[in-house]
Amino acid sequence: MKHLVVASVPAPGGTIPLSGSDAHYLLQVRRLRRGDFLDCTDGRGRVCRALVSAVTGEGLVLTVQEILGDAPRREGASEASPGGAPLEVLVPLLKGKLFDRVLRQVTELGADRIVPVVTRHCVKRPPREQAELRKKNQRWETIIREACQQSGRRCLPELALAQELPALSGQGPGIVFHELASRGLSREAVAGLWAGGGPRRVLTGPEGGLSSGEVSDLAGRGWLVSSLPTPVLRAETAAVAGLAIVLHLQSELDLPSRS
Amino acid sequence: MKHLVVASVPAPGGTIPLSGSDAHYLLQVRRLRRGDFLDCTDGRGRVCRALVSAVTGEGLVLTVQEILGDAPRREGASEASPGGAPLEVLVPLLKGKLFDRVLRQVTELGADRIVPVVTRHCVKRPPREQAELRKKNQRWETIIREACQQSGRRCLPELALAQELPALSGQGPGIVFHELASRGLSREAVAGLWAGGGPRRVLTGPEGGLSSGEVSDLAGRGWLVSSLPTPVLRAETAAVAGLAIVLHLQSELDLPSRS
């Protein structure tokens, strides 16, 4: 764990009380003791070094020693690329542990917003009840938080509620990877798409693939339909490979304006 | 499953007898019956369409109907990029199921040769006995075969026995991703490295990362030390993201010579 995500990071001298599973992890697994140090972030860009100042029956108390960084992500900006708009990753619902894994990996890679997407061939459907949907998101948020703690990301990506693809496709164009596309993603095409501003959207297919109707609908709405270097990939691999390629091109494009 | 990997693909009219786990999978899981069709490859580039011509007590018999493709990978060439040298992916040994997963994903992505690598900070060590090492490779070969069957790759990548990094680093330069590198991978740098011919090697770090000594040793031997767009990634994510970026650049570079 690079740092702990806490509710808020007070000024130096302020305290952060911890109980429950965080306290259990720090005391039993990490074996922290009074006098040990630990870095914390509020998940919005503020990071501190904290001292374990007390271990109590219920948990432990951290005292903030020093603010290591305080650069909250600006509204409409990206954590990974200060020169760019936020990166929105559309992840199709996948069976079992696959979705959890992709969620963890796109968080690590630097998604600013993650949208679980229901497409025509999705084997997995989201729960119908709003309450169930929120409960599911709470579990996913725990996975995202752990991924941030492990990779040292300062800002927690936002997690949207699961949405149907047609509703999403009209919100503005993005990049969609599809095995039948005739060409790979070029820097020029990405630069052209992103010149319009707005969130930078990336979508890969679910286990059954995107339907040709879905892809032509996206293309009609200005989406860039691109192939991956390897045509047939499992959904899990395509999500990580596609995002990595987009991030690579983004780092080339944003380079001059990078802070 | 896109196709079944079999020991050999005979000419049309020839038969392929199947028993054991393959027969079980096809009959019980896929529920194939006499008269059904199935594609097969010999894992060396020859692919056929076959008919289930008999179901016996021990398994089933396929009869080859048609050769769909017969393009064996040339010695010293790549399956994914006919214009290029083979892609050799060096995967550090990882704990538990993580290595299996990376193995499956780099196979899908198109590695021509996979070398399990032992680095200084590898938590996982390979077995000392050669016999144990071979047994481990047999299990890994099963995973590779399944990944080929699922993704439709025609050629099985070669799997080397686990090797120590120092022994490998002298075999010729490659690309190594490391979080302390000052710049990302550029098309020009890759073109320069690959102009020398020989296998195209890619290496990412294990769970504990590559040591700075290991990285400077590689740099001294001509390896290209590059950063990934996201500096801190788990070993599993770095392996897939790094390979995806290399494949993207390769597809741009090999485009003119692609068949």
Side-chain angles (χ1 to χ4, degrees):
Chain A
M1 189 172 75
K2 301 267 174 191
H3 55 214
L4 183 75
V5 178
V6 294
S8 69
V9 169
T15 57
I16 304 170
L18 295 173
S19 58
S21 58
D22 283 339
H24 176 85
Y25 173 77
L26 295 174
L27 295 173
Q28 308 303 326
V29 182
R30 290 279 303 271
R31 297 182 174 275
L32 287 190
R33 297 291 171 258
R34 194 163 171 267
D36 286 340
F37 288 92
L38 174 73
D39 292 348
C40 300
T41 174
D42 64 356
R44 295 179 298 277
R46 186 169 160 92
V47 185
C48 73
R49 176 141 303 155
L51 172 79
V52 179
S53 50
V55 176
T56 66
E58 290 93 57
L60 68 167
V61 178
L62 305 177
T63 299
V64 174
Q65 301 294 296
E66 188 188 347
I67 300 298
L68 300 176
D70 197 1
R73 178 161 80 83
R74 282 177 298 109
E75 185 73 31
S78 171
E79 182 184 1
S81 177
L87 188 62
E88 192 170 297
V89 183
L90 282 63
V91 184
L93 286 187
L94 303 172
K95 274 190 292 184
K97 299 264 177 224
L98 292 179
F99 187 80
D100 298 356
R101 212 137 74 200
V102 173
L103 209 54
R104 192 174 296 122
Q105 294 188 295
V106 302
T107 299
E108 270 176 68
L109 282 162
D112 295 302
R113 187 163 190 262
I114 301 171
V115 188
V117 180
V118 186
T119 70
R120 203 170 142 204
H121 294 324
C122 270
V123 179
K124 182 85 186 169
R125 313 304 297 187
R128 286 173 180 241
E129 301 288 330
Q130 279 287 317
E132 283 296 307
L133 211 56
R134 284 210 193 82
K135 207 171 131 193
K136 200 139 209 130
N137 268 40
Q138 277 173 10
R139 201 176 75 74
W140 289 337
E141 275 162 1
T142 305
I143 292 171
I144 289 176
R145 180 173 177 257
E146 283 168 4
C148 283
Q149 293 185 156
Q150 209 169 11
S151 66
R153 277 196 68 177
R154 294 172 166 210
C155 300
L156 285 170
E158 184 197 342
L159 177 69
L161 287 177
Q163 290 172 58
E164 302 273 340
L165 182 59
L168 273 164
S169 65
Q171 286 176 18
I175 295 160
V176 54
F177 288 103
H178 192 250
E179 63 184 85
L180 296 180
S182 57
R183 59 179 63 202
L185 200 58
S186 75
R187 205 191 307 190
E188 295 69 29
V190 174
L193 182 71
W194 286 349
R200 297 170 169 188
R201 295 194 171 85
V202 183
L203 168 67
T204 48
E207 278 141 336
L210 292 165
S211 75
S212 53
E214 284 173 326
V215 174
S216 62
D217 179 58
L218 289 167
R221 290 166 186 270
W223 283 62
L224 203 55
V225 185
S226 298
S227 62
L228 284 165
T230 316
V232 183
L233 293 172
R234 282 176 313 135
E236 169 189 12
T237 310
V240 174
L243 184 54
I245 292 167
V246 170
L247 286 165
H248 171 77
L249 292 168
Q250 166 169 291
S251 72
E252 283 183 343
L253 287 167
D254 289 343
L255 212 54
S257 61
R258 232 171 162 176
S259 61
Chain B
M1 191 172 74
K2 303 266 173 192
H3 55 215
L4 184 76
V5 179
V6 294
S8 69
V9 168
T15 57
I16 305 170
L18 295 172
S19 58
S21 59
D22 282 339
H24 176 86
Y25 173 77
L26 295 175
L27 296 174
Q28 307 303 324
V29 182
R30 289 280 302 273
R31 297 181 173 276
L32 288 191
R33 296 290 172 260
R34 194 163 170 269
D36 286 339
F37 288 93
L38 174 73
D39 291 348
C40 300
T41 175
D42 63 357
R44 294 179 299 276
R46 186 169 159 93
V47 185
C48 72
R49 176 140 303 157
L51 171 78
V52 179
S53 50
V55 176
T56 66
E58 290 93 56
L60 67 168
V61 178
L62 305 176
T63 300
V64 174
Q65 301 294 298
E66 187 188 349
I67 300 298
L68 299 176
D70 197 3
R73 178 160 81 83
R74 282 177 297 112
E75 185 75 28
S78 172
E79 182 184 1
S81 177
L87 188 61
E88 190 170 297
V89 182
L90 282 62
V91 184
L93 285 187
L94 303 172
K95 274 189 293 186
K97 299 264 175 223
L98 292 179
F99 187 81
D100 298 356
R101 212 136 73 202
V102 173
L103 209 55
R104 190 173 297 124
Q105 292 188 295
V106 302
T107 299
E108 272 176 66
L109 282 163
D112 295 301
R113 186 164 192 261
I114 301 171
V115 187
V117 179
V118 186
T119 71
R120 203 170 143 204
H121 294 324
C122 269
V123 180
K124 184 84 188 170
R125 314 302 298 186
R128 284 170 183 244
E129 301 289 332
Q130 281 286 317
E132 283 296 306
L133 211 57
R134 284 211 194 82
K135 208 171 130 193
K136 203 146 204 117
N137 267 41
Q138 276 172 9
R139 202 176 74 73
W140 289 337
E141 275 162 1
T142 305
I143 292 171
I144 289 175
R145 178 173 179 258
E146 283 168 4
C148 283
Q149 293 186 158
Q150 208 168 12
S151 67
R153 277 196 67 177
R154 295 174 165 208
C155 300
L156 284 170
E158 182 196 345
L159 177 69
L161 285 177
Q163 289 173 59
E164 301 273 342
L165 181 59
L168 273 163
S169 67
Q171 285 176 19
I175 294 160
V176 54
F177 288 103
H178 192 248
E179 62 183 85
L180 296 180
S182 57
R183 60 178 62 203
L185 199 58
S186 74
R187 203 191 308 189
E188 295 70 27
V190 174
L193 182 72
W194 286 349
R200 298 170 168 187
R201 295 193 170 85
V202 182
L203 168 68
T204 48
E207 276 142 337
L210 292 165
S211 75
S212 52
E214 284 173 326
V215 174
S216 63
D217 178 58
L218 289 167
R221 290 167 186 271
W223 283 62
L224 202 55
V225 185
S226 297
S227 62
L228 284 164
T230 315
V232 183
L233 294 172
R234 283 175 312 133
E236 172 190 7
T237 310
V240 174
L243 183 55
I245 292 167
V246 169
L247 286 165
H248 170 77
L249 292 169
Q250 166 169 291
S251 72
E252 283 184 341
L253 287 167
D254 290 342
L255 213 53
S257 60
R258 233 170 163 174
S259 61

